[in-house]
Amino acid sequence: KEISKKIYSVESSKCISCKICVNKCPVNAIEMVNGKAVIDQTKCISCGKCIEVCPTAAIKETSSVDEVLDALRNPYKKVVAVAHPLVGITLGEEFGYEIGSDVTKAFRHSISALGFDDFIDFDMAYLAKLKQLAQEIEKHFEKKQMLLISEVSGFVPFFEMHASRYLDNLSKVKNTEQIAGYLVKHQFVDLLNCYPEDIVTVSITPKLDLKLARQRVDNQHLGINDLDYVLTTREYARLLKRKGIHLNNNSGIVYSNFPSEKQPVYNYSGLLINALSMLSDKNRETFSINSFKLVKGYHNILEAVFSLAGKDYTVAITTGELTLTQFVSFLDNTKKHFDLIEFNGGFGQLVAGGNPIQPAIILDSKLHQIKRKEATIRLLNGKPSYPFDMEILKNATFMQLETKQK
């Protein structure tokens, strides 16, 4: 389902033969050859764990900077950025800002300064994803078939390679960035006054697996790619430096010409809570879910009962450092039927761990992690981000319930 192309590479001169990446790779895709780490691209699921833990930043994603620059120079192309909001939490670190600084205004201004024709509001694409997901959940409820959902890097490739028995249970809804690209090229194409094939969409994101997702055959509609290029946070920082653009958080606000949500739809208590809430609204029912509690025998999986149209459904959310391998083991061994499960990789997947600007030896600082978490909460107007731990997950869930009841 993928085009064979290298996603990550190892800069041998920086590799210190520590074998940390070998031990942390969830699919054993890295081995030592002549004392240096080598990645087997046929096994790699693009989860980004190796980049997260490498103490010397020897492992890097294959760059798309040159391709994006070529598109920006092409007078016959309209180039639109799909800007993930959490890039604004770590991007500033590369430009001398204190760790945890929110440089969202500067980030958006830099998109315009680089020559992008526009950017699309991420919240609107996320809302579209939730609507599609709510419809999919309802169909699975009717069929009494378990549905597995996740935003974690490498989730789908892992199941395709190592747990294909659950492929029918995986959500078929595209990721938010791909949906954003579809909206730009098909639903809002008239705003750019050109044909869909003349639009180039560039995802700027902390999610490393999008480089693999971009190559998949489902990254298209009517033969036109949803996403054309993917720039990670680190790549985007290099692009700005290459063009001599410095982040200025005192820049004026830059607005998109595309429709946008007046209020952020992000609740960030996860896909499951948001989609079920939307499903309740769709059926004109009160959002009803009982308190999450630990699944017996597991300290990092929470379950609850969701009620809809007089029927109860068992749902679950994983938290913390539960690995994909452990998650599949849980699915294989549990005797309980779950209607819906969201796999979460923890906070690091989307901010610090998703694509660190700094090498892991610096990221290990708990203080730095806390600063990023605090900045994310501020960015999301006080609403907790993807669950970092059990208590925050519970608080996030209850916060959503309280909001709905008011």
Side-chain angles (χ1 to χ4, degrees):
K1 290 187 177 181
E2 299 94 27
I3 301 170
S4 179
K5 183 180 178 182
K6 182 183 290 188
I7 302 295
Y8 301 142
S9 59
V10 180
E11 192 173 338
S12 296
S13 61
K14 289 186 177 181
C15 179
I16 59 175
S17 307
C18 64
K19 299 183 180 180
I20 296 176
C21 60
V22 175
N23 296 326
K24 291 292 185 179
C25 178
V27 292
N28 299 316
I30 307 176
E31 61 179 346
M32 300 302 294
V33 178
N34 297 324
K36 301 295 181 180
V38 176
I39 301 173
D40 184 340
Q41 302 293 335
T42 64
K43 294 181 180 179
C44 177
I45 61 172
S46 193
C47 67
K49 192 65 179 178
C50 56
I51 288 182
E52 178 184 343
V53 300
C54 180
T56 62
I59 306 176
K60 292 182 172 61
E61 64 277 24
T62 301
S63 177
S64 298
V65 169
D66 288 335
E67 291 89 339
V68 172
L69 283 173
D70 287 342
L72 290 169
R73 296 188 192 105
N74 191 331
Y76 302 105
K77 296 293 184 182
K78 296 284 188 179
V79 188
V80 178
V82 179
H84 196 292
L86 296 188
V87 171
I89 296 300
T90 52
L91 182 61
E93 296 174 21
E94 189 74 358
F95 295 88
Y97 284 85
E98 182 182 352
I99 288 179
S101 297
D102 178 6
V103 294
T104 300
K105 282 202 305 181
F107 172 38
R108 290 192 171 190
H109 191 271
S110 70
I111 292 172
S112 176
L114 280 169
F116 281 83
D117 292 280
D118 212 332
F119 67 91
I120 185 168
D121 181 81
F122 198 84
D123 282 338
M124 180 177 55
Y126 184 70
L127 179 61
K129 177 184 177 73
L130 290 177
K131 288 179 179 178
Q132 294 179 29
L133 189 58
Q135 294 173 353
E136 185 180 44
I137 290 171
E138 191 168 33
K139 290 179 181 178
H140 274 256
F141 280 177
E142 291 173 355
K143 294 187 295 183
K144 298 182 179 179
Q145 181 185 35
M146 177 178 66
L147 180 64
L148 305 176
I149 62 177
S150 181
E151 289 266 280
V152 169
S153 296
F155 182 77
V156 172
F158 180 87
F159 275 88
E160 289 177 339
M161 295 181 194
H162 303 282
S164 58
R165 57 195 175 278
Y166 292 109
L167 289 183
D168 289 340
N169 301 102
L170 297 185
S171 171
K172 304 303 186 292
V173 178
K174 294 182 180 182
N175 61 54
T176 305
E177 288 85 353
Q178 287 175 301
I179 291 174
Y182 164 81
L183 292 174
V184 169
K185 293 188 176 186
H186 299 281
Q187 189 163 332
F188 303 132
V189 63
D190 291 345
L191 295 176
L192 293 170
N193 194 30
C194 65
Y195 295 107
E197 52 267 33
D198 294 326
I199 301 173
V200 176
T201 49
V202 180
S203 172
I204 307 171
T205 178
K207 296 163 63 179
L208 287 158
D209 67 324
L210 279 184
K211 284 187 172 288
L212 183 58
R214 184 188 71 84
Q215 298 178 19
R216 296 171 60 87
V217 295
D218 57 1
N219 176 46
Q220 59 87 31
H221 178 72
L222 300 178
I224 298 174
N225 286 342
D226 299 322
L227 291 179
D228 293 296
Y229 301 108
V230 175
L231 296 178
T232 62
T233 310
R234 178 164 53 187
E235 279 181 279
Y236 187 71
R238 289 201 298 266
L239 173 57
L240 291 178
K241 290 186 174 184
R242 187 165 164 180
K243 299 298 291 182
I245 297 173
H246 189 83
L247 287 182
N248 181 4
N249 223 19
N250 294 320
S251 305
I253 300 176
V254 178
Y255 294 97
S256 169
N257 291 314
F258 294 107
S260 61
E261 294 297 315
K262 293 183 179 180
Q263 297 295 329
V265 297
Y266 272 114
N267 168 272
Y268 269 120
S269 51
L271 290 174
L272 184 145
I273 293 295
N274 284 316
L276 291 181
S277 176
M278 187 168 287
L279 184 57
S280 295
D281 290 343
K282 174 178 174 290
N283 288 274
R284 298 181 179 180
E285 292 195 14
T286 302
F287 182 69
S288 176
I289 190 167
N290 70 344
S291 299
F292 277 90
K293 62 181 180 180
L294 286 172
V295 173
K296 188 175 182 180
Y298 294 87
H299 69 278
N300 44 20
I301 305 177
L302 292 166
E303 65 175 328
V305 174
F306 170 72
S307 300
L308 181 72
K311 297 182 179 180
D312 291 339
Y313 302 93
T314 303
V315 302
I317 301 176
T318 75
T319 67
E321 294 303 315
L322 186 75
T323 66
L324 282 166
T325 301
Q326 292 169 336
F327 180 55
V328 170
S329 176
F330 165 74
L331 295 177
D332 287 342
N333 293 302
T334 184
K335 295 180 180 179
K336 189 169 188 175
H337 172 74
F338 288 91
D339 297 286
L340 174 65
I341 305 178
E342 178 179 7
F343 178 82
N344 275 305
F347 176 82
Q349 277 284 343
L350 274 185
V351 184
N355 182 38
I357 292 290
Q358 310 274 7
I361 197 168
I362 298 176
L363 288 177
D364 283 341
S365 166
K366 291 293 183 183
L367 178 60
H368 294 170
Q369 294 175 19
I370 291 172
K371 286 184 176 180
R372 288 191 182 96
K373 291 176 184 180
E374 291 175 343
T376 303
I377 292 173
R378 288 195 299 271
L379 176 67
L380 301 172
N381 297 320
K383 298 175 182 178
S385 179
Y386 274 84
F388 336 124
D389 52 42
M390 303 295 286
E391 288 305 316
I392 291 183
L393 173 61
K394 292 176 182 176
N395 292 337
T397 303
F398 296 152
M399 177 181 291
Q400 173 71 349
L401 288 173
E402 292 168 0
T403 302
K404 281 289 173 184
Q405 289 170 354
K406 288 180 181 179

